[in-house]
Amino acid sequence: MDLQSLVILVVAAVVTVVAALSVFPLLRRAGVVDVPSHRSSHSLSTVRGGGIAVGCGITVATLIAIVWSVTEHGVFGVGSILLPIGFLVLTWCYSAIGMADDLDSLRPAGRLVGQFVLALLFGATIAMISTQGIAHVLAFAVIGVSTVNAVNFIDGLNGYVTEWTIITAGWFAFVGSWIGENDIALLAVALAGAAVGFLPFNLGRAKAFLGDTGSYGIGAAVFALAVWLFVEGVPIVVIVAPMIFVFFDVGLTLVLRLFRGENILLPHREHIYQRIQQAGWPHSSVSVFHASLCVLACIMAVPTLLSGNTATTYPAHVFWVVLLALYALLPMWLRRRAQKEVATA
């Protein structure tokens, strides 16, 4: 890690901590708290909207990266500010939708429309400055909405999304640096740093939750970085590596609920990670387990990053199936083990 990346990482983390210490008391006094319900995995009222602090960390770190670039490259560095500015605008627009929901629940249809319009505008902007066509614009919009909501759906355990964000952003920073895209790498470092700064507030007996503000903002940031990596020619397998378990969990849960005839718009506690926690694992263990699987998935994608999609890299992709099966079957195994322990007690 070079000096610039280290500075961006530290600034993002420190600003997030300072913002958290300043904003969280205000949110609690304003009544922006998550009250436990039948679908909650926590038992105490906790401040939500912690994503504001994460957004502040990302913003300040990104602005420093912009100033650094212009100072270092002069007028030639001006062109590189378009990427980070678009990144910040998209992230804060999604965070604004999330904050509106944190303050006063929005209707699902309204949220989806707002999310789709933002993703569509972002996709159109990418198409104008690259070789992507209309089909890609529509695909980007669908992927954007899917990613943002998937991140929101998995934000149900202390540290879960925060740790996943650190892994995902760290991986994107590595990939961006590897292909020589320093701007993408620095934005990913800013995201990782902000998540590092928020993590202490979200572990153990969490002092704050990301809320929709944070999960939407993080989802948008990950979406933006993923699209930019795709435009730069990075193989899809490499991009999806840290996100495969998120999409698998959300997708499988959605299909199973549809198959059972349930209303998929209603809150629930049926995601794989939630069932693992219900089977007896504490929040921290589930979060670390998921983060470890994501790290393994990224390691399996390294051959593809180095050589592209070739016959020699396919075995690594197959190993993902083993990891996904392990993840999906763990809740069942834990329940059966618990039942056997009760029966023999």
Side-chain angles (χ1 to χ4, degrees):
M1 178 178 289
D2 59 16
L3 176 61
Q4 186 179 20
S5 297
L6 180 60
V7 170
I8 297 301
L9 179 72
V10 172
V11 167
V14 171
V15 171
T16 299
V17 170
V18 173
L21 295 174
S22 304
V23 172
F24 292 170
L26 299 177
L27 290 174
R28 181 171 290 279
R29 284 199 291 270
V32 185
V33 296
D34 193 295
V35 179
S37 65
H38 66 282
R39 65 174 290 268
S40 301
S41 298
H42 62 285
S43 57
L44 299 175
S45 295
T46 307
V47 171
R48 68 175 186 269
I52 295 176
V54 174
C56 290
I58 294 173
T59 300
V60 174
T62 300
L63 291 176
I64 289 178
I66 292 174
V67 173
W68 195 312
S69 178
V70 174
T71 302
E72 195 172 73
H73 303 290
V75 68
F76 297 103
V78 175
S80 65
I81 71 174
L82 298 178
L83 178 71
I85 287 178
F87 175 78
L88 289 179
V89 169
L90 183 73
T91 301
W92 276 111
C93 283
Y94 272 102
S95 292
I97 294 176
M99 175 54 74
D101 201 27
D102 281 333
L103 295 175
D104 185 16
S105 293
L106 297 174
R107 293 181 180 276
R111 289 200 302 269
L112 285 175
V113 169
Q115 293 169 5
F116 187 79
V117 169
L118 285 174
L120 197 62
L121 290 174
F122 176 76
T125 302
I126 291 296
M128 287 189 293
I129 61 176
S130 66
T131 59
Q132 312 304 312
I134 299 298
H136 282 99
V137 173
L138 296 176
F140 290 158
V142 173
I143 292 171
V145 173
S146 300
T147 302
V148 168
N149 283 286
V151 175
N152 179 251
F153 293 157
I154 65 166
D155 184 25
L157 296 181
N158 298 343
Y160 195 86
V161 168
T162 311
E163 292 176 15
W164 171 80
T165 301
I166 295 171
I167 300 300
T168 303
W171 173 248
F172 283 174
F174 170 72
V175 173
S177 178
W178 181 265
I179 64 174
E181 290 296 328
N182 191 54
D183 292 337
I184 296 176
L186 289 178
L187 292 178
V189 168
L191 175 60
V196 169
F198 182 74
L199 187 60
F201 299 95
N202 196 224
L203 290 178
R205 297 180 61 178
K207 299 178 179 63
F209 297 148
L210 286 168
D212 290 349
T213 307
S215 61
Y216 283 10
I218 288 174
V222 169
F223 160 59
L225 293 171
V227 168
W228 276 315
L229 288 173
F230 173 78
V231 170
E232 294 299 329
V234 176
I236 293 178
V237 168
V238 175
I239 299 171
V240 174
M243 302 185 284
I244 188 67
F245 292 97
V246 172
F247 289 137
F248 176 75
D249 192 335
V250 173
L252 179 62
T253 302
L254 177 63
V255 170
L256 291 177
R257 296 192 72 205
L258 285 172
F259 182 77
R260 292 194 294 263
E262 299 177 9
N263 186 344
I264 61 174
L265 298 179
L266 294 179
H268 65 92
R269 294 182 62 193
E270 298 177 17
H271 285 292
I272 297 172
Y273 75 90
Q274 291 173 318
R275 289 189 283 116
I276 294 175
Q277 186 266 332
Q278 293 162 20
W281 279 20
H283 290 221
S284 58
S285 297
V286 180
S287 298
V288 170
F289 175 66
H290 176 255
S292 300
L293 290 178
C294 291
V295 170
L296 287 175
C298 291
I299 293 174
M300 292 299 100
V302 170
T304 305
L305 175 63
L306 299 178
S307 308
N309 287 308
T310 65
T312 59
T313 63
Y314 292 151
H317 305 167
V318 173
F319 187 67
W320 280 7
V321 177
V322 177
L323 295 179
L324 291 171
L326 172 65
Y327 183 57
L329 296 176
L330 182 59
M332 185 185 305
W333 181 79
L334 289 174
R335 284 199 305 271
R336 289 184 177 179
R337 188 183 69 171
Q339 290 171 353
K340 288 182 179 179
E341 290 177 352
V342 171
T344 57

